[in-house]
């Protein structure tokens, strides 16, 4: 089973090396749609970015795709759905918006630092608040940067394990 997985990963690596720009674009669009839909399993997508494209390019893919995808999701929720559930949350949101007006960006970054809270929940929650799109984008970029640096780095280091698996004593 491990050999099958390693063969599959090796085939993907060959495909990327032969068609780097095309696979970069396809993977970026995949990540963008993944984060736009706020699907679970983002850690694996982030690790795969570093694994297949290296630390720097993997990080760029991760951060741009999550910022763009989350912003589109945020704007769609804010425009179309927030009016439906704001009436249920209105008494809580008034208090929360008063607190956030003092130092909005810091609180938004702390929300993004909350590891384990699904992206869907974070984006939907932030869409109910009275914040600007620029503050949303900045807090998303700053808040996710430490995680994405770590995941891109780990993905890049995991790719080295395949090189170790290919090594044999005869080499």
């Amino acid at each position: 089973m491990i050999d099958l997985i390693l063969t599959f990963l090796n085939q993907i690596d060959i495909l990327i090396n032969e068609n780097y720009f095309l696979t970069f674009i396809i993977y970026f669009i995949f990540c963008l749609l993944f984060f736009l839909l706020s699907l679970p399993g983002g850690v694996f997508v982030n690790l795969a970015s570093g694994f297949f494209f290296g630390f720097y390019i993997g990080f760029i893919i991760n951060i741009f795709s999550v910022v763009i995808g989350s912003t589109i999701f945020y704007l769609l929720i804010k425009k179309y759905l927030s009016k439906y559930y704001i009436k249920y949350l209105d008494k809580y949101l008034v208090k929360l918006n008063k607190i956030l007006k003092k130092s909005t960006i810091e609180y938004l970054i702390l929300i993004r630092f909350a590891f384990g809270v699904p992206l869907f929940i974070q984006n939907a929650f932030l869409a109910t608040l009275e914040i600007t799109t620029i503050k949303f984008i900045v807090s998303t970029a700053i808040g996710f940067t430490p995680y994405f640096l770590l995941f891109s780095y780990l993905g890049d280091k995991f790719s080295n394990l395949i090189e170790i698996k290919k090594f044999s004593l005869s080499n």
Side-chain angles (χ1 to χ4, degrees), residues 20-38:
Y20 189 80
F21 186 72
L22 179 64
T23 53
F24 173 83
I25 296 297
I26 290 170
Y27 190 76
F28 180 78
I29 292 170
F30 166 76
C31 289
L32 185 68
L33 292 173
F34 186 89
F35 291 120
L36 170 66
L37 298 173
S38 300

Side-chain angles (χ1 to χ4, degrees), residues 27 34-35 39-50 62 115-116 147-148 151-152 154-155 158:
Y27 190 76
F34 186 89
F35 291 120
L39 298 173
V43 171
F44 299 111
V45 172
N46 293 327
L47 286 170
S49 297
N62 289 338
F115 188 74
Y147 293 125
F148 290 171
F151 295 145
S152 298
L154 290 176
F158 286 153

Side-chain angles (χ1 to χ4, degrees), residues 35 46 59-71 74 105-114 119 122-123 126 131-152:
F35 291 120
N46 293 327
F59 173 73
I60 289 170
I61 290 171
N62 289 338
I63 201 70
F64 279 108
S65 62
V66 79
V67 168
I68 295 168
S70 292
T71 302
Y74 163 82
I105 200 77
E106 291 89 358
Y107 287 120
L108 296 177
I109 292 170
L110 287 176
I111 290 170
R112 291 304 196 183
F113 276 146
L119 187 62
Q122 287 184 12
N123 291 337
L126 293 175
I131 59 172
T132 64
T133 304
I134 296 298
K135 286 183 180 179
F136 179 85
I137 290 170
V138 169
S139 66
T140 300
I142 294 172
F144 284 126
T145 293
Y147 293 125
F148 290 171
L149 284 170
L150 176 65
F151 295 145
S152 298

Side-chain angles (χ1 to χ4, degrees), residues 57-115:
I57 301 298
F59 173 73
I60 289 170
I61 290 171
N62 289 338
I63 201 70
F64 279 108
S65 62
V66 79
V67 168
I68 295 168
S70 292
T71 302
I72 294 169
F73 181 85
Y74 163 82
L75 292 172
L76 290 172
I77 292 291
K78 195 159 193 79
K79 182 170 182 162
Y80 295 112
L81 296 178
S82 65
K83 60 185 169 190
Y84 295 112
Y85 56 86
I86 281 184
K87 61 183 172 184
Y88 300 110
L89 302 172
D90 196 36
K91 61 183 175 182
Y92 303 110
L93 292 176
V94 170
K95 294 177 186 177
L96 192 56
N97 282 320
K98 284 181 184 177
I99 294 170
L100 286 175
K101 286 198 189 260
K102 296 175 186 171
S103 57
T104 308
I105 200 77
E106 291 89 358
Y107 287 120
L108 296 177
I109 292 170
L110 287 176
I111 290 170
R112 291 304 196 183
F113 276 146
F115 188 74

